[in-house]
Amino acid sequence: MKFSMTEHGFETATQYGTLSISSNDEHGFRPYQLLVSAVAVCSGGVMKKVLEKMRMPAEDIQIDVKEVHRNPDVADRVERIHLHFTIKGAGIDEAKMPRIMELTAKNCSMVQSVKDSIDIRETYEVIR
């Protein structure tokens, strides 16, 4: 990836279009939003694969970022992210969900990359 400075931040060209990044959300994605998005979507993708391997495919997975706690005293560092997963699927065994959550966190490269500096809280509900 190559980032080029703009009047309000930076841009990079991707195969899906231009990604604009700025500290001002009127001009692009804010860096912390991209960090949170990477953690959330990586987790969701891993969860989908884990459910498929356990022969309990999800019809839908929604991820709600319930909380992003940033520390204003330390450069607005992201210190906590709470992700809430809503998993829809008729064949999902709720008794297996704790193991699925464990495997999701263990196999998500983004969670593993930040787990020692950001508290990642993951909750879930299953809808049939």
Side-chain angles (χ1 to χ4, degrees):
M1 295 179 92
K2 181 178 180 180
F3 295 89
S4 299
M5 187 174 77
T6 66
E7 180 181 355
H8 299 287
F10 288 85
E11 289 182 346
T12 187
T14 73
Q15 66 189 44
Y16 302 105
T18 301
L19 176 63
S20 298
I21 305 163
S22 174
S23 59
N24 182 335
D25 57 7
E26 293 178 11
H27 299 286
F29 292 99
R30 296 182 65 196
Y32 90 91
Q33 292 171 320
L34 296 172
L35 174 67
V36 172
S37 297
V39 171
V41 174
C42 177
S43 294
V46 170
M47 177 182 284
K48 180 181 179 199
K49 288 179 186 175
V50 169
L51 287 165
E52 287 170 356
K53 285 185 179 185
M54 296 179 94
R55 295 187 173 98
M56 295 184 292
E59 294 170 34
D60 188 35
I61 298 173
Q62 298 289 317
I63 307 164
D64 186 11
V65 179
K66 294 280 192 180
E67 175 190 25
V68 176
H69 180 270
R70 299 177 71 192
N71 186 335
D73 297 329
V74 188
D76 268 341
R77 172 178 69 197
V78 175
E79 293 187 340
R80 184 171 52 251
I81 300 171
H82 176 186
L83 304 175
H84 182 77
F85 298 86
T86 303
I87 305 111
K88 182 178 180 184
I92 297 179
D93 182 353
E94 283 200 60
K96 293 183 180 179
M97 283 306 298
R99 178 70 176 144
I100 291 164
M101 297 301 288
E102 179 184 322
L103 289 169
T104 296
K106 179 181 174 185
N107 290 291
C108 173
S109 61
M110 295 297 100
V111 169
Q112 290 302 307
S113 295
V114 301
K115 70 178 183 165
D116 294 329
S117 57
I118 299 175
D119 177 21
I120 308 291
R121 296 182 183 181
E122 298 170 321
T123 56
Y124 68 89
E125 64 183 297
V126 175
I127 299 174
R128 305 222 183 265

